[in-house]
DNA sequence: CTAGGGTTAG
């Protein structure tokens, strides 16, 4: 291998911060015609495909096929096919498929596996299946790839299960990657039973205590809400890596058991395991849900002390934590210091400001966000509508609602509708509010009806109120609280016989009007870090 | 020399 090429490969292995330089070196190498074997071309292509730059891979490939008297071979095509897949470039993949047939390497195992991946990844499941079904000598990668295809967007779990059985029947030994793929899909598609079958297989094949497999298993049980099972697996692991720690901590946060998540930090420190960015994000979320500022600051100090990289995730989680714990100024300091913000950063801050009573400021931030070119998403609009609702900004609320649908083509969710109904109701625009309720799917109308009925009471709109009360009663299986609201409304309207009826109905549901109780959180006596 | 999987924020 010539010297410039070697230098190139060295620079390819270095992190991506010097890509510009790298591309120049490469261009020069290509122009000066120093790559004169297809093996060398393949080496470059492989290195490039690993840097997650499929477009570059294809550009280099174009140079390759233009060069005289050296040709791509069976080592080249898998890289090209995989790059086409990652680019979602169907024509390029199909073209390459045609080419491999033409040059006669279409029966190469690696080429075929790459083709399965390409078709599966681009959603052409039938084509993927055809390659898979017609090939002979399938190996474990072929099986993993086709199984992975079925676990994609469509998540055809039954199909996947049949394939897995087929694999076992053919005597192909599933490996740890098979297990990870299957468990991930089971977790995402709520396939508890199938996941348990996989767990059994793992034990039978002696794949327990393999970190990757056990981590996938742990995630699976966490996804299924089986934190106890996840903990059992966690405790049983002799060697724990950071991912395993992160998963179990995230599990407790997800299960709304933040104290236990924070407790794990202590164990982690005892075992001299350093938390990383992911750990920090989960721990900050735990502090947020506890509204424990002291604890949040402690985590922040860990970030500073351990030189943990303050990436977008960490910074956004910090902002969120400070808002939820009442550290508004700290939240804003971090926000303003950030050079690069994404939609999550903006949304967290907009929501935080809205919840802290700075609704106008929140809306200003939304405008800034749009000006800056960040596309708001569903959650961003939940936050902005919350701001409008709280401050009674009817015009802004309606404008934003319209903008969400017309400019950003976001389908309004129940939350958006409910917010808007509340905004209109509180402003006394009761009939408009009613119109919006009719767009909500019937089974989700409860909150909106409640809001509107309360508004009817405060605006003494008895006729509309009666209509809404009727609709509420038709929903059936109402809670205690709703019955109280109804009877209060009837009392307000002076319809005492209706009050009586409501109380009777309430009794029938075996409920009693409860004394008003509210709960406040006392500082935890438990020792937290 | 080539193909396939995985944790975190609103």
């Amino acid at each position: 291998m010539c010297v410039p090429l070697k230098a190139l490969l060295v620079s390819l292995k270095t992190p991506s911060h010097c890509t510009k330089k790298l591309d120049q070196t490469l261009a020069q190498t290509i122009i000066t015609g120093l790559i004169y074997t297809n093996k060398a071309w393949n080496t470059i292509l492989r290195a490039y495909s690993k840097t997650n730059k499929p477009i570059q891979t294809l550009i280099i490939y174009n140079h390759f096929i233009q060069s005289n008297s050296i040709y791509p071979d069976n080592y080249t095509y898998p890289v090209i096919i995989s790059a086409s897949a990652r680019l979602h470039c169907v024509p390029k993949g199909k073209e390459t498929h045609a080419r491999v047939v033409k040059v006669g390497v279409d029966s190469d195992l690696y080429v075929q596996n790459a083709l399965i991946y390409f078709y599966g990844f681009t959603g052409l499941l039938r084509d993927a299946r055809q390659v898979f079904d017609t090939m002979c000598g399938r190996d474990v990668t072929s099986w993993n790839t086709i199984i992975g295809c079925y676990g994609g967007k469509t998540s055809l779990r039954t199909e996947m299960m049949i394939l897995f059985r087929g694999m076992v029947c053919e005597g192909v030994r599933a490996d740890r990657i098979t297990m990870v793929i299957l468990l991930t899909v089971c977790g995402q598609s709520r396939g508890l039973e199938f996941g348990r079958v996989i767990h059994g297989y793992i034990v039978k094949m002696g794949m327990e205590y393999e970190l990757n497999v056990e981590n996938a298993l742990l995630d699976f049980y966490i996804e299924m809400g089986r934190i106890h099972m996840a903990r059992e697996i966690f405790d049983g692991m002799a060697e724990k890596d950071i991912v395993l720690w992160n998963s179990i901590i995230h599990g407790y946060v997800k299960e709304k058991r933040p104290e236990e998540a924070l407790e794990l930090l202590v164990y982690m420190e005892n075992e001299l395991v350093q938390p990383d960015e992911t750990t920090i994000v989960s721990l900050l979320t735990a502090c947020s849900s506890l509204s424990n500022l002291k604890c949040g600051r402690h985590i922040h100090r860990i970030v500073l002390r351990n030189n943990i990289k303050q990436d977008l995730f960490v910074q956004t989680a910090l902002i969120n934590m400070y808002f939820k714990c009442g550290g508004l100024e700290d939240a804003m300091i971090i926000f303003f210091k950030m050079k690069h913000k994404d939609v999550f950063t903006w949304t967290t801050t907009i929501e935080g400001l809205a919840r802290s009573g700075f609704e106008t400021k929140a809306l200003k931030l939304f405008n800034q966000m749009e000006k800056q070119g960040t596309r708001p998403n569903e959650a961003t609009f939940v936050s902005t509508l919350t701001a409008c609702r709280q401050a009674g900004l009817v015009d802004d609320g309606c404008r934003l609602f319209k903008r969400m649908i017309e400019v950003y083509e976001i389908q309004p969710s129940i939350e958006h509708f409910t917010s808007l109904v509340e905004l209109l109701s509180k402003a006394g625009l009761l009939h408009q509010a009613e119109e919006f309720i009719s767009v909500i799917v019937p089974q989700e109308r409860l909150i909106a009806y409640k809001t509107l009925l309360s508004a009817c009471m405060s605006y003494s709109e008895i006729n509309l109120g009666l209509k809404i009360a009727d609709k509420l009663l038709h929903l059936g299986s109402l809670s205690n609280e709703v019955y109280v609201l109804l009877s209060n409304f009837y009392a307000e309207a002076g319809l005492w016989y209706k009050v009586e009826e409501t109380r009777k109905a309430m009794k029938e549901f075996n409920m009693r009007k409860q004394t008003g109780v509210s709960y406040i959180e006392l500082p935890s006596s438990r020792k937290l870090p």
Side-chain angles (χ1 to χ4, degrees):
Chain A
M1 201 185 289
C2 57
V3 178
L5 197 56
K6 261 192 181 160
L8 179 72
L9 288 175
V10 169
S11 62
L12 279 171
K13 282 176 190 161
T14 58
S16 56
H17 59 264
C18 52
T19 39
K20 254 198 174 153
K21 209 170 167 185
L22 176 143
D23 291 344
Q24 275 171 13
T25 321
L26 178 67
Q28 263 175 8
T29 315
I30 290 169
I31 290 161
T32 47
L34 283 165
I35 311 167
Y36 34 71
T37 62
N38 55 6
K39 199 172 160 183
W41 277 109
N42 288 343
T43 311
I44 295 170
L45 286 169
R46 175 165 39 92
Y48 251 93
S49 70
K50 283 195 172 143
T51 58
N52 198 21
K53 283 198 216 159
I55 189 92
Q56 294 279 11
T57 312
L58 293 186
I59 291 168
I60 297 164
Y61 173 67
N62 277 346
H63 285 290
F64 182 8
I65 50 183
Q66 278 158 24
S67 63
N68 293 321
S69 65
I70 4 170
Y71 302 99
D73 60 7
N74 56 318
Y75 288 97
T76 319
Y77 295 115
V79 181
I80 304 310
I81 295 165
S82 152
S84 311
R86 281 199 293 266
L87 265 177
H88 287 274
C89 185
V90 177
K92 189 73 192 167
K94 285 192 170 170
E95 180 202 307
T96 315
H97 190 172
R99 193 181 275 262
V100 296
V101 174
K102 204 171 141 201
V103 297
V105 291
D106 57 320
S107 56
D108 181 276
L109 180 65
Y110 285 81
V111 170
Q112 287 175 321
N113 286 347
L115 281 169
I116 300 171
Y117 174 70
F118 162 72
Y119 284 119
F121 197 78
T122 51
L124 302 165
L125 221 60
R126 287 181 57 177
D127 297 273
R129 191 59 194 255
Q130 207 192 334
V131 176
F132 178 81
D133 284 339
T134 52
M135 71 196 284
C136 42
R138 294 179 278 247
D139 70 350
V140 64
T141 300
S142 322
W143 284 99
N144 287 348
T145 311
I146 193 75
I147 287 172
C149 293
Y150 281 89
K153 263 188 195 159
T154 41
S155 186
L156 301 162
R157 208 174 61 232
T158 320
E159 282 299 314
M160 232 179 61
M161 196 167 161
I162 294 165
L163 275 164
F164 175 61
R165 293 234 168 90
M167 183 180 185
V168 177
C169 284
E170 253 188 48
V172 181
R173 201 180 185 287
D175 65 2
R176 53 198 184 84
I177 291 171
T178 325
M179 299 298 105
V180 173
I181 297 170
L182 290 169
L183 286 168
T184 307
V185 176
C186 287
Q188 285 160 355
S189 64
R190 335 242 97 228
L192 183 61
E193 285 318 304
F194 188 29
R196 283 187 169 139
V197 173
I198 305 301
H199 190 172
Y201 186 85
I202 290 166
V203 176
K204 201 173 108 190
M205 303 308 269
M207 277 189 272
E208 289 169 290
Y209 310 116
E210 274 205 59
L211 268 174
N212 287 336
V213 175
E214 289 307 283
N215 190 40
L217 197 57
L218 201 121
D219 286 336
F220 161 72
Y221 281 115
I222 286 169
E223 275 297 308
M224 304 311 299
R226 302 291 202 276
I227 186 77
H228 184 76
M229 193 66 201
R231 184 57 184 264
E232 231 169 71
I233 292 165
F234 178 82
D235 288 337
M237 295 294 288
E239 274 193 45
K240 302 177 177 81
D241 68 352
I242 186 69
V243 178
L244 208 66
W245 281 99
N246 289 346
S247 293
I248 195 74
I249 290 173
H250 162 244
Y252 281 112
V253 176
K254 188 174 173 286
E255 284 299 302
K256 302 253 182 301
R257 289 160 67 169
E259 288 97 344
E260 282 150 291
L262 289 162
E263 202 174 43
L264 278 159
L265 172 64
V266 182
Y267 297 153
M268 218 175 146
E269 282 170 339
N270 286 346
E271 293 194 24
L272 302 175
V273 181
Q274 294 288 333
D276 70 355
E277 290 82 5
T278 308
T279 330
I280 294 299
V281 170
S282 292
L283 291 171
L284 285 171
T285 312
C287 300
S288 305
S289 61
L290 285 167
S291 300
N292 189 330
L293 185 60
K294 213 177 140 195
C295 196
R297 285 203 200 279
H298 176 79
I299 306 295
H300 194 172
R301 272 196 298 275
I302 293 177
V303 174
L304 300 171
R305 193 203 328 133
N306 292 16
N307 262 327
I308 290 168
K309 197 176 165 236
Q310 296 209 31
D311 61 11
L312 265 175
F313 276 75
V314 172
Q315 287 174 312
T316 307
L318 276 168
I319 292 174
N320 184 44
M321 179 278 290
Y322 277 121
F323 271 123
K324 297 262 162 72
C325 300
L328 194 126
E329 278 171 28
D330 296 83
M332 290 314 285
I333 288 169
I334 297 167
F335 177 79
F336 285 123
K337 264 206 292 198
M338 284 173 76
K339 285 189 203 92
H340 188 247
K341 306 176 180 89
D342 72 354
V343 61
F344 294 106
T345 320
W346 288 100
T347 304
T348 306
T349 312
I350 291 168
E351 196 214 334
L353 284 169
R355 282 167 60 128
S356 316
F358 295 93
E359 292 90 355
T360 325
K361 187 105 181 81
L363 294 186
K364 263 194 194 147
L365 224 59
F366 177 80
N367 290 337
Q368 269 184 44
M369 173 187 178
E370 279 190 309
K371 259 192 212 135
Q372 216 230 2
T374 307
R375 194 187 166 86
N377 63 20
E378 217 188 288
T380 319
F381 281 103
V382 172
S383 305
T384 49
L385 288 174
T386 303
C388 298
R389 189 190 66 201
Q390 280 177 188
L393 303 165
V394 183
D395 290 344
D396 284 311
C398 292
R399 182 178 55 82
L400 286 167
F401 191 80
K402 212 170 155 229
R403 194 164 173 74
M404 170 175 85
I405 298 164
E406 286 173 0
V407 178
Y408 295 106
E409 293 172 332
I410 296 171
Q411 276 290 325
S413 70
I414 312 302
E415 270 177 295
H416 298 123
F417 278 124
T418 312
S419 241
L420 199 71
V421 169
E422 202 176 320
L423 176 64
L424 295 167
S425 304
K426 287 197 172 157
L429 301 163
L430 305 177
H431 292 280
Q432 283 189 45
E434 190 202 355
E435 266 179 55
F436 271 105
I437 298 183
S438 64
V439 199
I440 305 176
V441 285
Q443 59 269 32
E444 302 282 356
R445 289 181 188 169
L446 181 72
I447 302 171
Y449 279 143
K450 271 163 45 185
T451 310
L452 185 52
L453 186 60
S454 304
C456 287
M457 260 164 81
S458 29
Y459 284 94
S460 306
E461 268 281 355
I462 304 304
N463 284 337
L464 182 61
L466 285 172
K467 199 170 149 193
I468 302 302
D470 243 27
K471 294 206 166 159
L472 261 175
L473 285 165
H474 273 102
L475 287 180
S477 58
L478 299 171
S479 71
N480 205 352
E481 182 213 346
V482 178
Y483 277 118
V484 175
L485 175 70
L486 279 166
S487 83
N488 285 349
F489 168 73
Y490 289 130
E492 184 83 16
L495 298 165
W496 302 105
Y497 73 98
K498 282 274 194 189
V499 174
E500 208 44 47
E501 258 179 44
T502 313
R503 288 190 189 233
K504 260 187 204 157
M506 207 164 134
K507 264 185 196 157
E508 268 170 41
F509 275 93
N510 203 18
M511 291 175 196
R512 276 209 325 263
K513 187 178 173 178
Q514 283 182 344
T515 322
V517 176
S518 62
Y519 295 95
I520 54 159
E521 187 80 23
L522 289 172
S524 178
S525 57
R526 194 163 176 175
K527 211 181 167 200
L528 288 169

